[in-house]
Amino acid sequence: MQRRDFFKKLGTAAAVTAVIPAMSFADDAKPVSPNKMDFQTAVNAITGGKTPKPSKKVKLKVPEIAENGAVVPVTVEVDSPMTQSNYVKAIHILSGKNSNARCIDVFLTPANGKAMFATRIKLGGTQNVTALVELSDGEFLTASQSVKVTIGGCG
Amino acid sequence: MADKRKSLIKIKPKKYKDGEVVKVSFMVMHPMDTGMGKNKKTKKIIPAKYIDSVKFFYNGKEITNMKVWESLSVNPVFTTYMKINGKGKLTVKYTDNTGEAHEKTKKIKPKG
């Protein structure tokens, strides 16, 4: 072996050994969601075992195709008089396949005057978005729509 | 109480009467890290930092209470409706999972 070749090989070997541990370390540490919860457990936790009814009173507005999963606008509107005896108690927004299915729980009072809530959520991929509404008489209504996500938003 | 985050309360329409139902939106600059993202340069996991509760108060009385989880977008916006009931103050308070708290107040002045 020539002296010059020897030094070349030594150099590449050193570079490889320096890179490999850094990569393997990055792969070892897998990110974990702090509150992992799947969709069915989330629904049961909210309704306490009751089955929610699909209803046309709940209007869920989500884009059918979201180009960026990090910012998906969601609007939930409920047809309700919002009086002292008959009002919407809570609006829950759930995602079907995010590692934590629950996005937000909104507790309303008659002082709101109108049952509506809007925000922007993150979606990890193509999935259903569900609105779960609790009325003051203990009834649960639901509406859902599928959203096609081009670029995932989690991470 | 940390006041470093920028936040904004918007009321639509700008001119409102007593008894009218108006649209109120609260916007806040917040990273909303889920604890699952990685820093691309250092390859380290960014620790979870997300808003976990938002409350709307009107003259000290709680109107809307929100329990928030980590899957809201960066710089979240919370939009809801509210019935105007005389002069007063609208206060929005939030806390996040690391204990950071913030509040913003807007005066309510109905005309006519």
Side-chain angles (χ1 to χ4, degrees):
Chain A
M1 192 187 283
Q2 297 264 321
R3 187 169 158 264
R4 198 169 284 176
D5 268 6
F6 173 72
F7 279 117
K8 255 188 199 168
K9 276 179 185 165
L10 188 75
T12 51
V16 167
T17 45
V19 167
I20 284 172
M23 280 167 71
S24 60
F25 174 73
D27 285 331
D28 279 348
K30 274 181 190 162
V32 184
S33 170
N35 323 297
K36 206 167 153 44
M37 197 185 272
D38 70 358
F39 181 75
Q40 204 49 50
T41 346
V43 171
N44 287 345
I46 293 165
T47 59
K50 283 184 192 172
T51 40
K53 266 197 291 191
S55 166
K56 280 187 180 172
K57 275 187 177 180
V58 182
K59 280 168 204 147
L60 176 68
K61 229 193 255 173
V62 199
E64 280 176 15
I65 298 170
E67 279 179 11
N68 184 0
V71 188
V72 183
V74 180
T75 307
V76 182
E77 215 172 324
V78 189
D79 201 4
S80 164
M82 292 303 271
T83 54
Q84 224 31 268
S85 56
N86 183 4
Y87 65 98
V88 173
K89 218 174 178 182
I91 296 174
H92 307 267
I93 296 175
L94 304 168
S95 61
K97 280 182 194 161
N98 276 3
S99 61
N100 180 10
R102 296 175 84 162
C103 295
I104 187 163
D105 312 327
V106 186
F107 299 97
L108 303 170
T109 56
N112 281 98
K114 194 173 174 185
M116 179 269 191
F117 181 75
T119 189
R120 298 187 298 214
I121 62 170
K122 277 186 269 205
L123 293 177
T126 300
Q127 55 188 288
N128 279 357
V129 172
T130 306
L132 193 61
V133 172
E134 187 183 358
L135 302 178
S136 56
D137 58 2
E139 208 178 347
F140 286 94
L141 305 178
T142 178
S144 71
Q145 197 194 314
S146 71
V147 181
K148 206 172 179 184
V149 176
T150 326
I151 305 166
C154 278
Chain B
M1 198 158 284
D3 243 3
K4 57 188 173 178
R5 300 227 180 257
K6 278 185 188 166
S7 62
L8 180 70
I9 299 174
K10 256 189 188 173
I11 294 183
K12 259 186 177 181
K14 278 187 177 174
K15 284 179 184 170
Y16 42 84
K17 287 174 185 170
D18 211 351
E20 208 175 314
V21 176
V22 293
K23 197 180 197 176
V24 181
S25 49
F26 173 67
M27 285 159 234
V28 59
M29 305 289 272
H30 196 283
M32 295 297 285
D33 290 320
T34 57
M36 294 173 75
K38 274 183 188 173
N39 187 330
K40 276 174 190 162
K41 278 183 189 164
T42 61
K43 307 267 180 185
K44 277 184 184 168
I45 295 169
I46 304 165
K49 183 175 176 65
Y50 55 91
I51 295 174
D52 60 7
S53 119
V54 180
K55 284 172 185 173
F56 282 62
F57 293 93
Y58 187 19
N59 285 341
K61 197 189 158 205
E62 192 181 289
I63 310 176
T64 314
N65 177 2
M66 296 170 202
K67 174 106 184 65
V68 186
W69 304 85
E70 68 272 24
S71 33
L72 283 204
S73 296
V74 177
N75 304 339
V77 182
F78 305 91
T79 309
T80 175
Y81 278 80
M82 185 181 88
K83 198 173 184 183
I84 298 291
N85 189 11
K87 269 189 185 179
K89 271 181 191 172
L90 174 69
T91 312
V92 181
K93 289 181 187 175
Y94 86 69
T95 56
D96 79 3
N97 67 326
T98 59
E100 185 184 292
H102 177 89
E103 71 173 78
K104 181 96 182 174
T105 306
K106 193 176 174 95
K107 278 180 188 166
I108 303 278
K109 289 183 215 157
K111 278 172 190 165

